[in-house]
Amino acid sequence: MKKTMSKKELLWNILITFLALTGATIVSYLLVFVGGHTSNVSIVYMMAVVLISRYSNGYIPGVIASFISVICVNLVFTYPFMHLNFTMDGYPITFIALMVISSITSATTTHLKHQNKIIHDREKLLMEAEKEAMRANLLRAISHDLRTPLTGIIGASSSYLENYDTMSEAEKANLVNGIREDANWLLNMVENLLTVTRIRGSKAQVTKSLEPLEEVASEAVMRFHKRFPDAGVKVSVPEELVMVPMDATLIEQVIINLLENAVYHSNSKDPVSLTISIKDRNARFDVRDHGVGIAPDRLSTIFDGYTSSPNNSGDSHKGMGIGLSICKTIIAAHNGTITAGNESLGAIFTFTLPLGENTCE
């Protein structure tokens, strides 16, 4: 069904047509009666037709402007002035050609604008579909990552209450420690969910400010050690002061998630390394472990937010899903990149942040 033009669109078309043709007439007048140049009048009006077609709605304004342009060139800028005369030798062909070229130009411009709108709408639909896919992946990740720790908490607490009198103090402490570990994992999960809600609630826009890399890394490692006091982390940062535009809290969350992922899934007691360097106008963060690495078939989907197979560590309640999905969301909101890979010993996760034009190094 053909869409009816609104009153606002009609007024806009009239205004654009009037202003463009008026401007073309003034420029042509200056060229002919002040500068003495008559050869460029047709081109000036053709430019006006292109502008009208570009900024108006529909084909009609461009066609009308083409007709008016032909009349103006003949009436105002063709001898005898202020008289319509299409019978002079050569003029009929000239004016017909001007009308045809202007009309084709108008139609082509309007068609291209319409095609661009279609492409834009399709891209918007694809973005919405991608958001829906990410939302579905997150829901699967949540159900996957929450089910087992909650079951573990319920099972451990039930065993503690039902067998309180027959259990040794060491067994009780072991159950309570397991409950605490699972509760901390769930707390981290909630923090991740709040983080992604915050970003997507602001349409993937984050508030950035210049932050020193060394302080951000230090704060992230301190927060990580509160959860994992026995885990070793080797940190390497540039010697010079580097300021990077970022949301420090979100980037700290990314570092913590990657360090935590390395501790849970590397199957190694060796310290995890966090190396920060500057390369190609980007701050680069490398998190390495010395464990079993990542299965090759999972590398392409590891940031999708859902892990369908058990993790390599055998610790089934601590899936990689949502934490790495949050990392990808945060880095994308910072216009950075994040990748995962394997080295000769262990896995490496790398993300980059643009330094920005006014960054101090």
Side-chain angles (χ1 to χ4, degrees), residues 4-17 56-57 60-61 64:
T4 303
M5 183 177 296
S6 66
K7 183 178 179 180
K8 183 178 179 180
E9 290 176 330
L10 178 61
L11 292 175
W12 174 254
N13 287 345
I14 294 173
L15 178 63
I16 290 295
T17 303
S56 62
N57 300 304
I60 296 177
I64 293 177

Side-chain angles (χ1 to χ4, degrees), residues 35-292:
H37 304 287
T38 60
S39 59
N40 295 325
V41 172
S42 298
I43 296 177
V44 171
Y45 276 97
M46 287 177 62
M47 291 176 61
V49 170
V50 172
L51 290 175
I52 292 169
S53 301
R54 170 63 180 85
Y55 293 104
S56 62
N57 300 304
Y59 292 88
I60 296 177
V63 175
I64 293 177
S66 300
F67 178 78
I68 295 175
S69 296
V70 171
I71 298 299
C72 287
V73 172
N74 184 274
L75 179 65
V76 181
F77 301 105
T78 303
Y79 184 85
F81 301 117
M82 304 311 295
H83 291 281
L84 289 173
N85 187 354
F86 292 97
T87 62
M88 297 180 67
D89 186 28
Y91 280 158
I93 296 178
T94 300
F95 291 132
I96 291 174
L98 177 60
M99 180 67 184
V100 171
I101 293 173
S102 299
S103 299
I104 292 175
T105 302
S106 170
T108 302
T109 304
T110 304
H111 179 71
L112 289 175
K113 187 172 64 175
H114 180 64
Q115 290 297 318
N116 287 335
K117 185 177 183 302
I118 292 176
I119 292 174
H120 176 74
D121 291 341
R122 287 178 178 175
E123 290 178 348
K124 187 176 180 180
L125 289 175
L126 288 175
M127 289 178 63
E128 291 297 327
E130 184 179 355
K131 288 181 180 179
E132 287 299 323
M134 290 180 66
R135 186 177 293 110
N137 286 337
L138 280 174
L139 289 175
R140 288 197 298 268
I142 292 169
S143 63
H144 178 270
D145 285 357
L146 293 185
R147 184 184 301 114
T148 307
L150 285 173
T151 302
I153 290 174
I154 294 172
S157 59
S158 297
S159 296
Y160 185 90
L161 293 173
E162 293 171 0
N163 304 295
Y164 182 83
D165 295 330
T166 59
M167 292 171 48
S168 66
E169 293 298 323
E171 291 173 329
K172 293 177 183 178
N174 186 54
L175 285 176
V176 173
N177 185 64
I179 293 173
R180 183 182 64 179
E181 184 180 345
D182 286 340
N184 282 330
W185 175 263
L186 293 176
L187 177 61
N188 183 44
M189 179 75 65
V190 172
E191 290 178 356
N192 279 322
L193 290 174
L194 290 175
T195 298
V196 76
T197 302
R198 171 187 167 189
I199 294 177
R200 291 177 181 173
S202 59
K203 299 181 180 180
Q205 297 296 320
V206 295
T207 302
K208 302 177 187 177
S209 59
L210 289 176
E211 302 286 348
L213 282 180
E214 185 175 358
E215 290 187 11
V216 173
S218 175
E219 181 65 24
V221 173
M222 286 177 60
R223 289 173 56 191
F224 171 75
H225 275 146
K226 289 181 180 179
R227 297 177 185 168
F228 304 91
D230 299 328
V233 180
K234 294 181 178 179
V235 181
S236 175
V237 298
E239 293 183 0
E240 68 275 13
L241 175 66
V242 181
M243 305 291 288
V244 181
M246 68 172 81
D247 184 316
T249 302
L250 294 180
I251 297 304
E252 289 168 12
Q253 186 68 41
V254 172
I255 295 174
I256 292 171
N257 283 359
L258 295 180
L259 292 175
E260 183 175 316
N261 181 77
V263 169
Y264 275 128
H265 301 286
S266 65
N267 258 2
S268 172
K269 299 298 183 181
D270 293 335
V272 179
S273 68
L274 169 62
T275 305
I276 304 176
S277 57
I278 304 300
K279 184 177 181 181
D280 298 329
R281 296 296 300 169
N282 286 285
R284 172 172 172 153
F285 298 73
D286 295 309
V287 177
R288 292 181 174 88
D289 61 56
H290 302 84
V292 296

Side-chain angles (χ1 to χ4, degrees), residues 338-357:
I338 185 167
T339 58
N342 289 315
E343 295 189 323
S344 58
L345 181 61
I348 178 173
F349 286 84
T350 300
F351 69 90
T352 63
L353 298 175
L355 291 181
E357 296 180 359

